[in-house]
Amino acid sequence: MTLMPEVPTTAGFVRGRWEKSVAVFRGIPYAQTPLGPYRFARPVPPQGWDGVRDALVFGPPAPQTGAPASDVDTNWLTVNVWSPNLGTSGLPVMVWIHGGRYLEGHTANPHYNGAALAAAGVVVVSMNYRVGVEGFAYIAGAPNNRGLLDQIAALQWVHDNIAAFGGDPTNVTVFGQSAGAGSVAALLTMPASAGLFRRAIVQSLPGTFFTEELAAGVSAQIAKQLGARATAVELQHFSPHSLVAASHALLAKMPAFADSWGPMALTPTPFSPIVDGVTLSDAPWRLLASGAGHAIDLLVGHTRDEYSLFNPWRGKPVTARHLASTVKQLAPESCGPGDYQTAYPRATASQLYETVNADWLFRMPSEHLADAHHAGGGTARLFELSWSFNPDESASHSLDVLLVFGTLSHADITSHPTANPNAASEFERLSGAMRMDWVAFASNGDPGWAPYEPGTRITRVYGTDITDETYPEEASRRLWRDHRFTALVPITSGSGGDVSVP
């Protein structure tokens, strides 16, 4: 076995490296650099190369806070591959889509290291894609959802090339968390992604999809920071990193737009997939319920304490008035100010504030996705992570990612000042169990527990013990059962800038 394996792709040979028992290839272009004539455009296949291209270093992230400005001159659209066996064929393939508020994120994050998953018997692929304005802003004269189109291009690359890395192009599972989960939910229903994957794993699905009118109002305000309009012609004159700065300038002001943009103005991002009737015809819940994507197996779930990392009031007193205002802004119209207190009689106002936010942002969108997929004739399975290694963060957003990839070290856990006494050993056991469940699902569609049914709502709960039980958040589900997640619309257009859509 050569230490530096070479593999053919449709654009040319690439050279990787064996790292222990896994062959790793980093920074392989799947599309051309989206600058110049390709900026704000659909991704274009990469140019080929002669000889063998080194694939030893992760490609640079798309422009975002913390990314060096020099990176705009290199290709952001790259994939990485981890394979346990280059000499075989037909291994299940798992394609990871990172999260990051549709605003940031990249595959060089050490917590997205695919080695442990690959060693369990699958080929793992991760991708960089356009984020922020470049990928998700409404720009007149440009296609919407460019970040999603990048993801589809990466999936096409997998279809065309993964057999050479030992993978089966007919047995692909796409999986993602947070904004990555929102991306996967969109891909489930997009005609352009049909046939490119067989299964999907959605971890902590955000409930935010935008109408084109809302997205246009947000983009108008971003462009206003630069003295421009949100058109492809005008924004071409500004560097990608200047658009990053303008986005974050708006982010700091977003709460002031709550009266015109609604509750999305209270979230930590100005971007979400755009329901435009072209690239994305509707929000995923309605499309799945109508039968779209019914042939794709779905695994979906959330952590118990989705809002713990974001909650500015965690451990602090929340007034009854503040709680009532939050319920009015976020909960279904049928939910009165006292309904959460009735559903959770022992909870404090501070705890209820966190629960309402967790329900709106991630928990109920995830449960509703399983229900919608079942209604449309698909097979879905539901999970919840209730384990945590410290009481400060609880079962927080993104903890499931660290478990599945197995990238939280013993020192990371034991050095935490409030770590539970057995946390390190519990993490190792739970991480192995979740990883094998994910691999089993990717292999044959059965992770080891019963499919979702409205009568039972069997859920695999990853706690100190792993159990299969009725959905644990039944109290919240009842409050949200008649709600329908749809694309968010502006409440008014008065302070949203020019929201006209051609």
Side-chain angles (χ1 to χ4, degrees):
M1 179 178 70
T2 177
L3 184 62
M4 306 284 281
E6 297 176 1
V7 172
T9 74
T10 52
F13 275 81
V14 292
R15 180 186 294 117
R17 179 189 293 118
W18 282 97
E19 299 178 4
K20 295 183 179 180
S21 61
V22 176
V24 186
F25 301 79
R26 298 179 173 92
I28 306 172
Y30 67 84
Q32 293 197 39
T33 306
L35 289 172
Y38 306 119
R39 194 172 181 199
F40 307 134
R42 293 175 179 272
V44 175
Q47 292 182 336
W49 55 84
D50 296 326
V52 181
R53 180 188 182 110
D54 280 337
L56 306 175
V57 179
F58 287 110
Q64 57 192 268
T65 299
S70 60
D71 282 350
V72 301
D73 297 325
T74 54
N75 196 352
W76 325 320
L77 304 184
T78 59
V79 294
N80 318 290
V81 181
W82 289 261
S83 176
N85 193 339
L86 296 174
T88 189
S89 62
L91 289 174
V93 181
M94 297 184 70
V95 180
W96 171 248
I97 300 179
H98 68 75
R101 303 185 289 168
Y102 306 105
L103 188 65
E104 59 197 6
H106 55 86
T107 58
N109 184 331
H111 289 306
Y112 302 154
N113 186 332
L117 267 174
V122 296
V123 176
V124 179
V125 180
S126 63
M127 68 179 78
N128 282 343
Y129 57 92
R130 282 175 283 185
V131 295
V133 172
E134 304 291 330
F136 288 95
Y138 170 83
I139 300 175
N144 289 325
N145 300 312
R146 296 169 297 281
L148 298 179
L149 297 178
D150 291 347
Q151 295 164 15
I152 292 172
L155 286 167
Q156 186 65 57
W157 184 95
V158 170
H159 179 272
D160 296 341
N161 292 281
I162 207 63
F165 295 85
D168 180 356
T170 69
N171 191 13
V172 174
T173 297
V174 60
F175 69 127
Q177 183 264 352
S178 196
S183 297
V184 173
L187 293 173
L188 274 168
T189 66
M190 294 175 70
S193 66
L196 295 179
F197 59 95
R198 187 172 180 178
R199 300 185 180 95
I201 302 176
V202 175
Q203 300 172 222
S204 301
L205 171 64
T208 54
F209 282 68
F210 291 176
T211 56
E212 201 168 38
E213 184 183 7
L214 178 58
V218 172
S219 293
Q221 287 297 324
I222 292 173
K224 186 177 180 180
Q225 312 292 319
L226 301 168
R229 295 181 301 168
T231 68
V233 171
E234 293 196 26
L235 294 184
Q236 282 274 6
H237 297 294
F238 298 92
S239 73
H241 280 267
S242 67
L243 298 184
V244 171
S247 300
H248 281 271
L250 174 64
L251 184 60
K253 305 174 183 177
M254 272 177 48
F257 290 88
D259 289 342
S260 55
W261 293 347
M264 66 76 51
L266 306 178
T267 70
T269 180
F271 303 113
S272 283
I274 301 171
V275 173
D276 61 1
V278 180
T279 56
L280 189 59
S281 62
D282 207 338
W285 301 271
R286 297 209 305 200
L287 288 172
L288 290 183
S290 69
H294 68 275
I296 298 173
D297 297 325
L298 174 65
L299 173 59
V300 57
H302 55 76
T303 70
R304 184 190 61 201
D305 305 298
E306 287 280 8
Y307 196 62
S308 63
L309 297 182
F310 312 118
N311 184 2
W313 294 93
R314 196 159 214 256
K316 302 175 184 178
V318 170
T319 66
R321 182 178 179 181
H322 188 182
L323 175 61
S325 173
T326 301
V327 171
K328 183 178 180 180
Q329 286 178 311
L330 303 182
E333 291 183 4
S334 60
C335 185
D339 288 350
Y340 260 90
Q341 187 69 68
T342 301
Y344 295 93
R346 298 181 181 178
T348 64
S350 179
Q351 291 169 332
L352 290 174
Y353 173 84
E354 182 166 306
T355 298
V356 175
N357 277 278
D359 284 345
W360 178 71
L361 270 175
F362 299 111
R363 300 201 315 177
M364 294 304 103
S366 298
E367 192 279 334
H368 278 219
L369 197 76
D371 194 69
H373 196 48
H374 176 272
T379 300
R381 285 176 172 82
L382 190 61
F383 77 90
E384 178 179 283
L385 175 65
S386 63
W387 178 85
S388 67
F389 69 91
N390 72 83
D392 295 337
E393 299 168 357
S394 301
S396 65
H397 189 70
S398 300
L399 181 57
D400 54 328
V401 176
L402 306 180
L403 286 156
V404 170
F405 282 96
T407 49
L408 197 63
S409 72
H410 186 277
D412 290 333
I413 296 172
T414 57
S415 63
H416 195 283
T418 62
N420 300 327
N422 300 319
S425 60
E426 289 175 358
F427 175 86
E428 185 175 353
R429 178 179 57 83
L430 191 59
S431 174
M434 288 189 75
R435 188 156 51 252
M436 293 314 297
D437 287 350
W438 264 231
V439 168
F441 178 78
S443 300
N444 57 36
D446 185 358
W449 68 94
Y452 179 94
E453 294 281 349
T456 56
R457 297 184 181 84
I458 295 301
T459 306
R460 175 148 292 186
V461 179
Y462 294 98
T464 304
D465 297 315
I466 300 173
T467 59
D468 298 338
E469 57 190 78
T470 302
Y471 182 54
E473 312 310 331
E474 180 64 14
S476 289
R477 189 201 67 79
R478 288 178 180 174
L479 294 175
W480 287 78
R481 63 187 172 190
D482 295 325
H483 179 76
R484 296 295 176 264
F485 285 95
T486 60
L488 301 176
V489 300
I491 298 174
T492 71
S493 57
S495 60
D498 180 6
V499 298
S500 59
V501 179

